[in-house]
Amino acid sequence: ASRVLVASRNFANDATFEIKKCDLHRLEEGPPATTVLTREDGLRYYRMMQTVRRMELKADQLYKQKIIRGFCHLCDGQEACCVGLEAGINPTDHLITAYRAHGFTFTRGLSVRQILAELTGRKGGCARGKGGSMHMYAKNFYGGNGIVGAQVPLGAGIALACKYNGKDEVCLTLYGDGAANQGQIFEAYNMAALWKLPCIFICENNRYGMGTSVERAAASTDYYKRGDFIPGLRVDGMDILCVREATRFAAAYCRSGKGPILMELQTYRYHGHSMSDPGVSYRTREEIQEVRSKSDPIMLLKDRMVNSNLTSVEELKEIDVEVRKEIEDAAQFATADPEPPLEELGYHIYSSDPPFEVRGANQWIKFKSVS
């Protein structure tokens, strides 16, 4: 009955919203202060953000049940970053990020089933269960990286390949505020500026590098100015429309041949740095709750859409139910799917997959699957 009511209601096709102006560095003009959101796009963004949120909460549950092992860095609270960045680029563009990678893996086109199965180490995972939380890959997505800041020079290299091959493509190169003080990042800035590479350097500033606040870690917290000679934008990373418009602006800048640009997304993570961090020893529960109540990216989009007659609360509730079912189905698969056989341990070391046997300390003993 509710579906019939939703279908019969006359929703607006689009609405115009004012968005927060970006702070600018070495730029005369920035992204627009207003933007148009269509009903179709709004519903898609809502579904994607809700999927990332529910997927991360399910990962939390599976980790606490010891079904997910090892490192696990969740991104709930930062959904406007991964969904907004994807909304501002083309599928043929490129993206590389740090270890908080689950959301980007989803927005780059992989299914929840493939992601959760990777987290549980099953052969149905996107890296056949051998990558885990930090090492997931998709087409034009070069994964997470477990070494702090190490993906930034790699992103500059991907941008160099875009330019070398003469393709009208850009590379989004992401890192956190904790990595922003790494020397290799400034080396990558220098090279990208010298060679005018189509690279968008993006600092996801979630205010805490591991358990250290930005104020205690950085003499300057104006991360968007850190490129010095590279233009920069500081963006409200909790507003998906701000992120989308800033990304479109930055991508157009890079495609025009002007070289790299830097974006700082001011965002927030609800979980601790990783699952081993309760997240409340260096910040208060009240602080987390305040962000949840005032700046939650899903809530902000929901309120805008409902108040502008782009959707109804009932329609969004239906999406919530569908998303929860999708996550539960994926979790069932991720716990029932078998682990990869032992002989696969040496696969994918070479791209052409030649036979590769793994030997132990005694080199005459070779590992074989016993399953």
Side-chain angles (χ1 to χ4, degrees), residues 95-106:
L95 193 148
I96 187 167
T97 188
Y99 37 74
R100 206 176 302 281
H102 308 164
F104 293 105
T105 310
F106 175 71

Side-chain angles (χ1 to χ4, degrees), residues 54-361:
R54 291 285 158 198
M55 178 176 73
E56 295 294 66
L57 294 177
K58 178 55 70 173
D60 171 270
Q61 182 184 340
L62 293 172
Y63 192 95
K64 287 170 179 170
Q65 293 170 348
K66 298 189 177 179
I67 297 170
I68 293 173
R69 303 284 185 132
F71 293 102
C72 187
H73 304 83
L74 304 181
C75 70
D76 48 317
Q78 300 184 197
E79 294 87 357
C81 296
C82 56
V83 179
L85 288 169
E86 188 63 38
I89 58 172
N90 303 324
T92 51
D93 289 323
H94 308 266
L95 193 148
I96 187 167
T97 188
Y99 37 74
R100 206 176 302 281
H102 308 164
F104 293 105
T105 310
F106 175 71
T107 56
R108 286 267 83 185
L110 291 185
S111 67
V112 177
R113 176 179 280 214
Q114 289 173 296
I115 295 167
L116 288 183
E118 187 58 40
L119 286 170
T120 57
R122 310 306 169 111
K123 70 177 186 179
C126 56
R128 288 191 67 81
K130 295 189 293 180
S133 176
M134 293 193 284
H135 307 288
M136 300 182 179
Y137 308 93
K139 186 172 174 57
N140 297 329
F141 174 60
Y142 305 85
N145 196 308
I147 307 301
V148 176
Q151 71 282 0
V152 179
L154 299 180
I158 296 164
L160 173 61
C162 294
K163 184 170 183 173
Y164 184 84
N165 291 323
K167 294 185 175 179
D168 189 28
E169 296 168 357
V170 300
C171 180
L172 276 61
T173 302
L174 288 107
Y175 55 96
D177 53 276
N181 301 316
Q182 284 274 326
Q184 60 192 324
I185 291 178
F186 296 89
E187 295 176 44
Y189 287 168
N190 186 60
M191 193 173 285
L194 276 174
W195 295 347
K196 291 196 175 339
L197 302 182
C199 188
I200 307 175
F201 293 105
I202 302 169
C203 176
E204 282 186 291
N205 176 9
N206 60 25
R207 292 164 50 177
Y208 298 96
M210 293 189 71
T212 307
S213 68
V214 292
E215 292 82 11
R216 290 180 60 217
S220 169
T221 57
D222 290 335
Y223 295 105
Y224 72 111
K225 295 180 180 178
R226 290 285 197 92
D228 187 13
F229 38 80
I230 298 175
L233 301 164
R234 182 157 58 191
V235 185
D236 181 355
M238 302 299 274
D239 183 349
I240 187 172
L241 299 184
C242 281
V243 177
R244 182 186 71 176
E245 293 309 311
T247 307
R248 284 176 176 171
F249 175 89
Y253 181 94
C254 286
R255 291 189 219 280
S256 70
K258 294 176 184 175
I261 192 168
L262 206 157
M263 283 170 56
E264 175 190 344
L265 303 181
Q266 292 190 312
T267 184
Y268 198 83
R269 56 172 162 79
Y270 295 157
H271 267 86
H273 169 72
S274 68
M275 284 301 297
S276 60
D277 166 25
V280 289
S281 59
Y282 49 86
R283 60 182 184 177
T284 63
R285 294 182 192 277
E286 289 74 27
E287 178 186 301
I288 302 167
Q289 192 53 46
E290 185 178 14
V291 176
R292 278 183 179 274
S293 61
K294 293 181 179 177
S295 305
D296 183 78
I298 297 175
M299 178 193 72
L300 289 175
L301 179 64
K302 176 181 178 179
D303 289 348
R304 271 183 173 149
M305 291 183 68
V306 170
N307 294 338
S308 302
N309 193 36
L310 291 175
T311 186
S312 63
V313 173
E314 293 75 26
E315 185 174 30
L316 296 182
K317 280 182 180 174
E318 285 182 9
I319 292 174
D320 294 347
V321 170
E322 291 166 6
V323 166
R324 287 184 192 222
K325 184 180 186 309
E326 180 189 357
I327 302 299
E328 286 303 323
D329 290 347
Q332 290 287 333
F333 173 78
T335 51
D337 193 45
E339 294 181 358
L342 194 57
E343 64 260 22
E344 278 197 23
L345 198 59
Y347 286 14
H348 307 113
I349 289 174
Y350 299 99
S351 60
S352 55
D353 282 352
F356 189 97
E357 292 175 306
V358 178
R359 292 182 295 218

